[in-house]
Amino acid sequence: QLCARLLYEHAPRAIAALRAAPGVVTDDVERTVEAATLLSGLGFESGGLGVAHAMHNGFTSAVPACHAALHGEKVAFCTLVHLLYEHRDDDA
């Protein structure tokens, strides 16, 4: 929950800052990158990624247009589907 709060708070300002001055690392950019990196590591370490990876592999094999989507977009979509698959609708 802490990472989500950090992302909701800092990511919009981080995006705006990087659009205004590409390559300049503000506090918002740093906090966004740190929260995203932590979430990525926690997700990897906790496992349970089978459904998301299977979906990713299926999408990119069957739908070539999926290659143009950002990695984070595919991860977010597959994570939501995985939560629904596990009947964790409240978390989605």
Side-chain angles (χ1 to χ4, degrees), residues 3 7 32-47 49 53 71 75:
C3 285
L7 290 171
T32 299
V33 170
E34 287 178 352
T37 302
L38 176 60
L39 281 173
S40 175
L42 291 173
F44 176 77
E45 292 296 327
S46 68
L49 303 173
H53 280 104
H71 175 76
V75 168

Side-chain angles (χ1 to χ4, degrees), residues 23-91:
V24 175
V25 178
T26 65
D27 183 60
D28 290 313
V29 171
E30 187 171 340
R31 288 176 183 257
T32 299
V33 170
E34 287 178 352
T37 302
L38 176 60
L39 281 173
S40 175
L42 291 173
F44 176 77
E45 292 296 327
S46 68
L49 303 173
V51 171
H53 280 104
M55 288 181 57
H56 169 272
N57 294 342
F59 280 148
T60 54
S61 295
V63 184
C66 285
H67 287 287
L70 296 174
H71 175 76
E73 293 172 323
K74 292 184 272 189
V75 168
F77 178 78
C78 292
T79 300
L80 290 172
V81 172
H82 189 161
L83 289 171
L84 293 172
Y85 171 78
E86 292 181 344
H87 303 288
R88 293 170 54 189
D89 304 43
D90 291 343
D91 295 335

